[in-house]
Amino acid sequence: MDKAYTKALRERGVRITPQRALIWQVLAESGAHFTADELWEQVRTSLPGLEVSTVYRSLQALQEAGLVVESRLPEGPMVFEARSGTHPHLVCEACDRIFHLEDPQLGFQVADILSKASEEFEIRELHIVAKGLCSNCTMKETRE
Ligand SMILES: [Zn+2]
Ligand SMILES: [Zn+2]
C-alpha cells in the first residue's frame, strides 16, 4: 500500500482499512469517475471476498471525510470520484465519457447563485450535467 494514500486518509480522520485505502488509491490515482460496481471490479482482484456493500460503506466514509464526491448523471448510475464540492459534468451521448470543465470554480458559483436566489429552500445537493458530443465523437460524425 502506497504511504502517500494512507496519509491523506489519516489527515482527514478516516479509520484506515485495506478496502478504504485501496478504493481511495484507485480514485485518486485515476482521477476518473467510477460507479460502485466498477470500483468493486477494480479492487476485488486485490481483495478477494470483498462484498460490493463494503465498497458502498467505504465510499460513504470517504465522502464524509470530504475526499470523495458522488454525482448523479441523467439516466445513469451514481458515479464517485476523488474530488470535493459541486462541479459541472459534461457527458458525451455517443461514447458516455464524462468530462470536466476547465474552470473548477464554476460549480461553486452556480451553487452560490442558486442558494441566494432560493431563500426559502435550502439546497443540499446539486448536480450540474450537460449532455452533448465530445470533440472525438464530433470528429467521427463529420468523417462519416
Ligand atoms: Zn467529476
Ligand atoms: Zn464522445
Side-chain angles (χ1 to χ4, degrees), residues 92 95 134 137:
C92 178
C95 68
C134 74
C137 294

Side-chain angles (χ1 to χ4, degrees), residues 71-73 86-91 101 106-111 114 126-130:
S71 301
R72 204 184 295 271
L73 303 175
T86 294
H87 58 277
H89 284 119
L90 309 174
V91 182
L101 293 171
L106 196 68
F108 293 106
Q109 288 165 2
V110 174
L114 270 172
L126 176 65
H127 302 286
I128 308 167
V129 182

Side-chain angles (χ1 to χ4, degrees), residues 7-140:
K7 185 169 170 277
L9 299 186
R10 203 170 287 124
E11 279 172 359
R12 295 290 183 113
V14 180
R15 190 172 58 82
I16 294 167
T17 64
Q19 295 89 334
R20 289 174 184 181
L22 195 57
I23 287 167
W24 168 244
Q25 185 172 347
V26 169
L27 288 170
E29 245 172 19
S30 66
H33 305 78
F34 291 92
T35 65
D37 280 341
E38 286 166 350
L39 276 171
W40 184 50
E41 291 293 334
Q42 289 267 326
V43 298
R44 63 195 281 203
T45 45
S46 314
L47 298 167
L50 178 73
E51 305 269 345
V52 72
S53 59
T54 309
V55 173
Y56 276 104
R57 277 199 303 275
S58 302
L59 284 168
Q60 175 117 30
L62 293 170
Q63 266 181 277
E64 281 164 9
L67 289 164
V68 164
V69 71
E70 64 176 26
S71 301
R72 204 184 295 271
L73 303 175
E75 301 133 42
M78 205 64 129
V79 291
F80 299 86
E81 65 185 302
R83 267 195 178 222
S84 60
T86 294
H87 58 277
H89 284 119
L90 309 174
V91 182
C92 178
E93 289 173 319
C95 68
D96 286 332
R97 280 180 66 196
I98 306 167
F99 300 88
H100 288 139
L101 293 171
E102 293 297 327
D103 181 359
Q105 287 307 312
L106 196 68
F108 293 106
Q109 288 165 2
V110 174
D112 200 46
I113 292 167
L114 270 172
S115 64
K116 278 181 186 145
S118 54
E119 274 169 30
E120 287 168 20
F121 189 90
E122 183 198 329
I123 296 169
R124 293 193 171 160
E125 214 184 293
L126 176 65
H127 302 286
I128 308 167
V129 182
K131 292 182 84 173
L133 279 180
C134 74
S135 53
N136 258 335
C137 294
T138 311
M139 273 184 345
K140 251 186 241 158

